[in-house]
Amino acid sequence: MFPHEVNSHQDSTFLNTNPKRLVGVWIPLEDATKENGCLWFIPGSHKNGVDNERYMIRTQNPVSSNLGVTFTNPPVQYDDNLFVPAEMRAGSLALIHGEVVHKSEPNRSTKSRHAYTFHMFDSQGVEYSKQNW
């Protein structure tokens, strides 16, 4: 159905706060299995901070005035053997620490795997980067 994978990443690299206070909420609307692209995590990776200080930031093309995005550093290559699958039933909920490394593999099945996701951060005493997209 949707063979696309989501490369390994940390959510705090897309939504940068100082100090780091980001939490992702991921709710599978259908069962998420290894075959249809469930989430995979590196346990304990949130304890290491943001790897390589890699952040996605807004940019502006000086010629066209179009807004775009770029990354401040190249992607980090993680050892695939460190990831563990998180198969989940439809309607369950995963709270994802903003600095935990996670990904999803391609959907190799005929079943879809839709999910609802959003992110939150504590706004009191926290600066939301003006460079966030």
Side-chain angles (χ1 to χ4, degrees):
M1 301 229 54
F2 295 98
H4 305 292
E5 64 185 298
V6 176
N7 294 327
S8 55
H9 67 282
Q10 296 168 292
D11 291 342
S12 285
T13 64
F14 293 94
L15 299 165
N16 186 14
T17 64
N18 186 22
K20 302 287 181 252
R21 294 285 190 266
L22 189 71
V23 175
V25 176
W26 195 85
I27 304 167
L29 303 177
E30 303 168 288
D31 290 349
T33 66
K34 287 187 274 190
E35 290 74 32
N36 72 353
C38 70
L39 294 176
W40 291 69
F41 295 93
I42 297 179
S45 57
H46 65 287
K47 298 174 185 176
N48 301 326
V50 173
D51 292 331
N52 199 26
E53 291 296 312
R54 181 177 197 258
Y55 295 100
M56 187 171 86
I57 58 172
R58 283 185 296 146
T59 61
Q60 188 164 356
N61 183 324
V63 176
S64 67
S65 298
N66 290 335
L67 291 178
V69 294
T70 190
F71 284 93
T72 58
N73 282 306
V76 177
Q77 299 300 315
Y78 298 99
D79 180 350
D80 273 341
N81 294 317
L82 299 176
F83 286 90
V84 297
E87 294 183 295
M88 297 174 63
R89 292 280 213 197
S92 52
L93 180 141
L95 291 176
I96 304 172
H97 189 287
E99 295 167 65
V100 72
V101 177
H102 60 288
K103 66 178 182 173
S104 64
E105 295 288 325
N107 185 345
R108 301 189 197 295
S109 76
T110 58
K111 294 183 175 184
S112 62
R113 192 235 58 206
H114 292 99
Y116 179 72
T117 187
F118 61 95
H119 297 85
M120 305 176 293
F121 68 95
D122 183 0
S123 63
Q124 191 165 19
V126 175
E127 177 187 349
Y128 185 76
S129 174
K130 291 177 178 29
Q131 291 186 305
N132 283 340
W133 58 284

